[in-house]
């Protein structure tokens, strides 16, 4: 049986956006950062909720495509090239500058300990980190992109509040919501 994630592309449903807004507390006027934005579809959905969003990705072609395709959102949506596994933190990501940091299906590509430390700095005291991922079975040879359960569980350390929920009706994708970075 083919998995929802076999193609590498995971479509965004209206329900996923609704769940994101409900669980993250996303509201018009807030500031969001989308890490691993790719061609920007998720960042665009966040901007449609009225947030000012900057999407970052290490792929120059994806960022250029996102800028061209999503230009209709104007001042609310920006894209920038950045490699969070190798580069210094962009100057625009100042401490306490973001209400929400999102990472949709890209956490497995990152240096997770480094990224989590940086995200804690960028978020406001009651800020939210919202990540979606597939939970893979360790040692199963599963080629699906995602994180093993033990790594998902370890993400919650250093946060005042945390919870997770299922994103898709097939229960293959989860979201982890972390609120209130504790340093």
């Amino acid at each position: 049986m083919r998995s929802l994630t076999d193609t590498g592309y995971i479509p965004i449903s209206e329900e996923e956006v609704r769940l994101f807004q409900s669980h993250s507390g996303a509201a018009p006027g807030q500031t969001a950062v989308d890490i691993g934005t790719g061609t920007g579809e998720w960042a665009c959905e966040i901007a449609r909720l009225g947030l000012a969003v900057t999407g970052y990705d290490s792929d120059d072609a994806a960022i250029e495509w996102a800028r061209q395709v999503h230009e209709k959102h104007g001042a609310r949506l920006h894209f920038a090239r950045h490699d969070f596994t190798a580069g210094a933190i962009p100057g625009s990501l100042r401490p306490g500058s973001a209400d929400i940091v999102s990472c949709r299906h890209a956490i497995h590509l990152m240096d997770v300990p480094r990224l989590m430390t940086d995200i804690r700095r960028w978020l406001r005291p009651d800020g939210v980190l919202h990540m979606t991922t597939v939970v893979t079975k360790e040692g199963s040879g599963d080629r699906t992109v995602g994180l093993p359960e033990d790594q998902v569980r370890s993400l919650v350390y250093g946060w005042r509040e945390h919870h997770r929920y299922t994103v898709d009706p097939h229960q293959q994708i989860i979201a982890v919501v972390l609120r209130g970075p504790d340093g």
Side-chain angles (χ1 to χ4, degrees), residues 7-27:
T7 64
Y9 173 72
I10 300 169
I12 301 168
S13 69
E14 288 180 26
E15 180 68 1
E16 182 177 358
V17 176
R18 187 193 69 72
L19 288 167
F20 165 79
Q21 186 173 20
S22 171
H23 288 274
S24 70

Side-chain angles (χ1 to χ4, degrees), residues 19-156:
L19 288 167
F20 165 79
Q21 186 173 20
S22 171
H23 288 274
S24 70
Q30 290 181 325
T31 301
V33 173
D34 185 33
I35 296 172
T37 199
T39 56
E41 283 79 10
W42 184 245
C44 181
E45 292 295 337
I46 297 171
R48 284 187 182 135
L49 297 173
L51 285 76
V53 183
T54 302
Y56 291 95
D57 201 279
S58 61
D59 186 320
D60 287 322
I63 290 298
E64 187 55 37
W65 191 91
R67 286 178 179 149
Q68 291 174 13
V69 171
H70 301 298
E71 68 184 347
K72 64 184 173 266
H73 292 286
R76 279 197 324 239
L77 184 58
H78 299 279
F79 295 98
R81 188 208 171 280
H82 184 71
D83 183 349
F84 285 98
T85 61
I89 301 305
S92 59
L93 287 174
R94 295 177 316 280
S97 64
D99 295 296
I100 298 173
V101 173
S102 174
C103 188
R104 184 179 187 268
H105 302 294
I107 192 73
H108 64 281
L109 301 171
M110 308 288 172
D111 175 348
V112 176
R114 176 185 175 188
L115 184 64
M116 295 298 279
T117 298
D118 292 337
I119 289 170
R120 283 186 184 92
R121 283 189 209 121
W122 307 329
L123 284 170
R124 291 186 171 92
D126 200 34
V128 171
L129 170 56
H130 185 279
M131 296 173 286
T132 55
T133 188
V134 173
V135 178
T136 60
K137 292 180 175 78
E138 197 155 357
S140 69
D142 188 357
R143 299 177 66 115
T144 305
V145 294
L147 293 177
E149 179 63 41
D150 63 328
Q151 285 184 342
V152 171
R153 281 194 307 268
S154 73
L155 295 172
V156 305

